[in-house]
Amino acid sequence: QSVLTQPPSASGTPGQRVTISCSGSSSNIGSNTVNWYQQLPGTAPKLLIYTNNQRPSGVPDRFSGSKSGTSASLAISGLQSEDEADYYCATWDDSLNGPVFGGGTKLTVL
Amino acid sequence: EVQLVQSGAEVKKPGESLRISCKGSGYSFTSYWIGWVRQMPGKGLEWMGVMYPGDSYTRYSPSFQGQVTISVDRSISTAYLQWSSLKASDTAMYYCARQRDGYNYRYFDLWGRGTLVTVSS
């Protein structure tokens, strides 16, 4: 049981916009910034969004993040086949005094 | 090139010991926290612990406290994750990752490729 709650799966067709939600509590998302990681099949996770809505260099602006209260979301617009991956939200948990991850959302491009 | 290079896959028997490594290069290794993350087969990411190579200060997730040991050799910019007695349930991919810290933000911005540990009799 992950501390952060994500839907296990999401899907969309090429060109569509999809969103992935991430729900937490006051001790984690509610008081800390949220990050998102993309894990392509058979590879290591990669930082996709940091500090709620910032993109590292090289990440397309099709990816965007937002946070409100104890929830966060990742939006992917202009969906492409290469976006098929697992997506994890993460943040700091003040009770754990360490990072916590969501259970991951498997995105399928139909 | 800024990177974390992890040691190769391991196959061990229950009860054996193991140490896997993570070598940083292209940046000041002692200036950034290094974390370890477990991913069991078909499962999500779990934070195991983190170390600051500059002074070897280490914190563990309660779930992994006493189960593993994180250490560092600053002279060769390498962090380690070790087990004294492996169990079949330790079978997983283990990632090291560099942690960026600041006021009200922390995130892993650089990841190793992972070390697959298989424990089987």
Side-chain angles (χ1 to χ4, degrees):
Chain A
Q1 191 82 356
S2 301
V3 174
L4 306 179
T5 302
Q6 297 180 237
S9 64
S11 63
T13 56
Q16 264 191 332
R17 181 178 188 271
V18 297
T19 61
I20 297 172
S21 62
C22 176
S23 177
S25 68
S26 58
S27 67
N28 42 66
I29 293 179
S31 50
N32 295 284
T33 57
V34 176
N35 313 303
W36 291 88
Y37 300 92
Q38 177 192 57
Q39 188 174 32
L40 297 169
T43 70
K46 166 193 158 185
L47 181 65
L48 190 68
I49 297 287
Y50 65 97
T51 321
N52 299 332
N53 53 20
Q54 301 299 301
R55 287 185 308 277
S57 174
V59 173
D61 59 6
R62 301 186 295 105
F63 295 90
S64 62
S66 64
K67 171 192 149 177
S68 178
T70 59
S71 296
S73 63
L74 173 71
I76 309 171
S77 59
L79 198 61
Q80 299 180 5
S81 58
E82 56 260 40
D83 298 334
E84 196 159 276
D86 293 324
Y87 293 86
Y88 294 90
C89 61
T91 187
W92 192 263
D93 190 284
D94 295 335
S95 300
L96 175 64
N97 197 20
V100 289
F101 293 93
T105 298
K106 184 176 184 61
L107 175 64
T108 301
V109 181
L110 302 169
Chain B
E1 182 186 358
V2 178
Q3 59 182 348
L4 294 171
V5 178
Q6 296 189 234
S7 50
E10 302 273 2
V11 179
K12 292 289 189 178
K13 290 181 167 46
E16 291 186 332
S17 63
L18 174 66
R19 188 177 76 168
I20 62 176
S21 66
C22 169
K23 182 177 175 61
S25 62
Y27 73 98
S28 175
F29 183 74
T30 54
S31 299
Y32 297 86
W33 294 79
I34 289 284
W36 287 93
V37 176
R38 183 177 78 174
Q39 187 169 38
M40 299 179 76
K43 301 298 184 182
L45 306 173
E46 302 172 87
W47 176 67
M48 301 177 71
V50 66
M51 162 178 280
Y52 190 71
D55 60 9
S56 300
Y57 178 74
T58 306
R59 277 192 293 106
Y60 296 92
S61 163
S63 299
F64 293 93
Q65 179 82 48
Q67 307 304 308
V68 296
T69 302
I70 297 171
S71 59
V72 66
D73 186 337
R74 282 184 289 276
S75 69
I76 55 173
S77 299
T78 299
Y80 300 97
L81 178 67
Q82 66 183 66
W83 296 259
S84 59
S85 180
L86 286 160
K87 301 185 284 287
S89 57
D90 292 319
T91 294
M93 181 72 83
Y94 294 88
Y95 295 102
C96 65
R98 184 177 75 173
Q99 180 175 297
R100 299 295 297 266
D101 281 88
Y103 173 71
N104 200 31
Y105 71 84
R106 294 177 184 89
Y107 53 87
F108 294 118
D109 71 330
L110 178 68
W111 293 70
R113 291 189 175 185
T115 295
L116 180 63
V117 174
T118 303
V119 183
S120 174
S121 54

